Amino acid sequence: MIFEDLKAFAERLDRAYFIDNEYKQYADYDQPLPIGYEQTISQPSLVFQMTYILSPEKGSRVLEIGTGSGYQTALLAEFSGEVYTIERISALAEKAKKRLLGLGYTNISFMTGDGSLGWEEHAPYDRIMVTAAAAELPQELLRQLAAGGRMVIPVGPRGCQELMLVEKDINGEIFTRIIEEVVFVELKGKYGWSYWNK
Ligand code: SAH
């Protein structure tokens, strides 16, 4: 992925298009904003950074967990081959789908459901982007990551997590690197928070 291409696209993409509440007027601020249902759209600089770290290629098959507003999905769809995106809140999923189809993307498959389980049908994935915080690395997602693949995921307790870059080498060995501290809403579902906090 070429930094300048991503930068040019991110500057062109209107974040206000992905917000449909009273916070729309703040779309240009580099701040997370509420998108309803107790969920948030991340600040653009973080979405940019996570996309650049994930570094999808033109032919990449990408799994995204937490479609939310669809803003991050647009960046992924622009710079990869196929995007499979999962959102558990159907109202958010439907709105995001409408927006992304409205932008003309034909390489995105949408699912409403529990993304902590991944999306077995289309696995393995070259890239996995998780935009909700997991308590631990979800084993099921690691399994669905292709050899030579990368995953970007916030991991840690509620309120403060570490953004991690996870790489699976061609032998299937896992390497992790901490990028920085972040705050995301929690990843729910079977292998989300409840699994680790029973
Ligand atoms: N990437 C989004 C940010 C979404 S916030 C954007 O650019 O707008 C995180 C999203 O993850 C929320 O919409 C939340 O509903 C969703 N989420 C949390 N747990 C999930 C799960 N297990 N499966 C699918 N989506 C989940």
Side-chain angles (χ1 to χ4, degrees):
M1 142 163 279
I2 299 165
F3 184 87
E4 279 71 25
D5 292 351
L6 178 60
K7 189 160 173 282
F9 179 73
E11 280 169 6
R12 236 178 26 241
L13 188 63
D14 182 12
R15 190 172 178 239
Y17 178 67
F18 295 87
I19 302 170
D20 63 1
N21 55 23
E22 65 271 30
Y23 297 98
K24 198 183 183 80
Q25 58 182 313
Y26 304 116
D28 287 343
Y29 292 17
D30 194 26
Q31 295 288 335
L33 295 171
I35 54 171
Y37 311 89
E38 298 174 1
Q39 308 303 323
T40 52
I41 180 173
S42 300
Q43 62 272 39
S45 59
L46 181 57
V47 177
F48 182 96
Q49 186 192 16
M50 288 172 71
T51 309
Y52 191 64
I53 291 165
L54 189 72
S55 232
E57 302 292 338
K58 265 289 161 223
S60 297
R61 295 161 51 77
V62 180
L63 175 67
E64 181 191 33
I65 316 296
T67 317
S69 67
Y71 178 76
Q72 167 76 80
T73 319
L75 272 76
L76 296 172
E78 184 71 20
F79 292 98
S80 45
E82 290 293 325
V83 177
Y84 301 88
T85 187
I86 309 176
E87 169 57 53
R88 56 180 284 276
I89 299 172
S90 60
L92 289 176
E94 275 163 36
K95 285 195 267 187
K97 183 175 182 176
K98 231 178 253 168
R99 290 173 190 139
L100 291 158
L101 292 178
L103 290 175
Y105 291 109
T106 55
N107 60 340
I108 308 172
S109 303
F110 298 86
M111 179 164 93
T112 301
D114 180 5
S116 77
L117 303 170
W119 193 341
E120 179 75 49
E121 191 186 344
H122 305 286
Y125 301 95
D126 305 305
R127 303 285 187 271
I128 300 180
M129 176 72 92
V130 185
T131 63
E136 302 276 344
L137 281 181
Q139 291 303 313
E140 192 50 40
L141 297 184
L142 284 180
R143 201 180 60 72
Q144 293 182 24
L145 186 63
R150 302 171 144 224
M151 168 159 75
V152 171
I153 178 170
V155 179
R158 197 172 277 126
C160 181
Q161 304 96 30
E162 284 166 339
L163 184 65
M164 298 186 76
L165 170 62
V166 180
E167 290 177 279
K168 190 189 256 191
D169 75 6
I170 49 167
N171 301 314
E173 214 178 318
I174 301 291
F175 297 89
T176 61
R177 228 182 304 166
I178 295 167
I179 306 297
E180 66 178 10
E181 288 197 347
V182 287
V183 182
F184 275 85
V185 298
E186 64 178 28
L187 178 72
K188 301 200 187 280
K190 184 165 178 204
Y191 296 111
W193 264 89
S194 55
Y195 180 78
W196 302 99
N197 293 292
K198 270 184 215 152

